[in-house]
Amino acid sequence: MIKKIQLGSTNILVSRIGLGTVKFGRNEKVNYPQGFALPDDKTILHLLAQAQSLGINLLDTAPAYGSSEERLGPLLKTQRNSWVISTKVGEDFKNGKSYFDFSSEAVRESILRSLKRLETDYLDIVLVHSNGEDKKIIEELHIFETLSEIKKAGLIRAYGMSTKTVEGGMLAVDQSDLVMVMHNLIYSAEQSVIQYAHQKQKGVFIKKALASGHLAALSSEDAVRDSMKFILSEPGVSSVIVGTLNAEHLKYNALCVEQALS
Ligand SMILES: NC(=O)c1ccc[n+]([C@@H]2O[C@H](COP(=O)([O-])OP(=O)(O)OC[C@H]3O[C@@H](n4cnc5c(N)ncnc54)[C@H](OP(=O)(O)O)[C@@H]3O)[C@@H](O)[C@H]2O)c1
């Protein structure tokens, strides 16, 4: 069974591997090695059951992942409290195009829409879905002030940012509960953010642990095992979010995480 860990200084317990859900709702303008069809509900339910049986309780979604939130809502309804749901604000994806809005109004609207789509009355985690302008979003648009108010109102339990720069990652660590960074065998430019978060007792999620599948495509199982080992050798990492539509891949990824932690 996959172990759980306290997410930074929050009271949220997350499994050391989480399930990424881009592929549940979006197959347009994505950067995976191969094209794919969106899964049917039965496939998603099977993956969710597989995840739970492995001890995985963390799901990462976003309004920008096409119909991902809308797909998950009805499927999670009877099992809401078994999951830690992490979604995002700031990016939307419509008619094949990304739109960004980090204003206070847009953030509030987006959270209300996510609550509705996910058929729940609270979100465990909300991350800012950065367009790369991390510093501006934090310092000029004061997005964490908005999210802090929403947290105080009880709609969300924790907030942070999926960053794209070291500078932004550091600011997010200082001003929020957690940060999500890209880190894997072939990209480690944001490692200092993970180390800073560890020092400040903040949570860290890893995105693109398999370089969106390009790493796994290169040398398959060894690459998955080596990347998990590399990522989890960094003590600040709370959870590795890996996207998959394949239950066998999910099982193998969980095994690699378990082995990396043993
Ligand atoms: N800006 C952001 O905030 C941001 C950006 C990117 C991602 N994310 C989050 O992070 C999650 C993961 O990122 P990602 O989906 O881009 O990349 P990833 O997890 O690095 O890679 C996912 C790809 O790897 C393949 N894969 C997974 N396990 C495998 C295995 N054991 N063997 C072979 N192939 C395997 C999957 O294909 P199969 O379906 O065939 O398994 C999928 O195409 C996303 O779902 C999302 O939740 C956030």
Side-chain angles (χ1 to χ4, degrees):
M1 281 290 263
I2 288 291
K3 290 203 177 69
K4 297 190 176 68
I5 192 173
Q6 186 183 349
L7 180 65
S9 303
T10 72
N11 59 3
I12 303 175
L13 279 183
V14 292
S15 48
R16 304 298 304 270
I17 174 169
L19 179 58
T21 67
V22 174
K23 292 177 89 172
F24 288 9
R26 175 170 159 184
N27 56 9
E28 251 183 302
K29 305 251 171 75
V30 282
N31 185 27
Y32 296 107
Q34 281 145 10
F36 59 96
L38 295 183
D40 58 17
D41 283 355
K42 204 174 142 205
T43 305
I44 297 181
L45 277 171
H46 180 59
L47 277 165
L48 294 174
Q50 167 86 297
Q52 289 252 291
S53 72
L54 293 164
I56 296 171
N57 73 340
L58 175 61
L59 293 175
D60 183 67
T61 183
Y65 300 167
S67 57
S68 173
E69 287 186 320
E70 276 163 303
R71 303 284 310 275
L72 285 170
L75 301 180
L76 292 179
K77 212 169 174 177
T78 57
Q79 39 178 307
R80 171 66 185 94
N81 295 330
S82 311
W83 294 99
V84 170
I85 301 180
S86 178
T87 190
K88 308 196 180 63
V89 292
E91 180 178 354
D92 218 347
F93 183 79
K94 277 189 248 162
N95 304 320
K97 233 185 129 197
S98 276
Y99 297 87
F100 294 93
D101 191 341
F102 301 98
S103 66
S104 173
E105 302 74 48
V107 166
R108 286 172 200 280
E109 264 174 44
S110 179
I111 285 176
L112 294 178
R113 191 184 56 183
S114 292
L115 287 167
K116 207 167 161 188
R117 286 178 173 171
L118 287 160
E119 300 194 20
T120 180
D121 54 6
Y122 70 98
L123 300 169
D124 298 282
I125 299 162
V126 170
L127 299 171
V128 178
H129 213 157
S130 178
N131 59 356
E133 297 182 306
D134 300 343
K135 188 171 153 67
K136 180 179 168 192
I137 298 164
I138 298 170
E139 292 191 334
E140 293 177 34
L141 302 176
H142 306 292
I143 200 155
F144 292 139
E145 287 174 27
T146 307
L147 288 167
S148 163
E149 285 166 18
I150 299 169
K151 182 176 169 180
K152 280 187 198 131
L155 294 183
I156 67 179
R157 296 174 70 198
Y159 62 85
M161 185 159 182
S162 174
T163 50
K164 294 196 175 181
T165 63
V166 169
E167 192 179 34
M170 299 294 191
L171 289 169
V173 167
D174 278 332
Q175 300 182 32
S176 73
D177 300 309
L178 76 154
V179 67
M180 182 185 233
V181 297
M182 179 168 161
H183 189 62
N184 61 45
L185 261 187
I186 53 171
Y187 177 89
S188 57
E190 293 164 48
Q191 191 168 17
S192 55
V193 175
I194 305 173
Q195 289 164 347
Y196 187 54
H198 186 49
Q199 202 186 314
K200 296 278 174 180
Q201 292 179 294
K202 299 295 178 80
V204 175
F205 284 171
I206 300 301
K207 60 186 172 189
K208 305 191 187 180
L210 306 177
S212 295
H214 294 280
L215 242 179
L218 284 180
S219 55
S220 188
E221 294 199 340
D222 286 352
V224 175
R225 195 191 51 224
D226 293 350
S227 202
M228 296 302 184
K229 203 168 168 196
F230 172 73
I231 291 165
L232 288 159
S233 67
E234 201 54 68
V237 172
S238 314
S239 187
V240 187
I241 311 292
V242 189
T244 185
L245 292 180
N246 180 318
E248 285 307 309
H249 286 172
L250 183 61
K251 200 169 157 189
Y252 183 69
N253 298 342
L255 176 72
C256 291
V257 165
E258 243 174 1
Q259 284 176 349
L261 291 169
S262 65

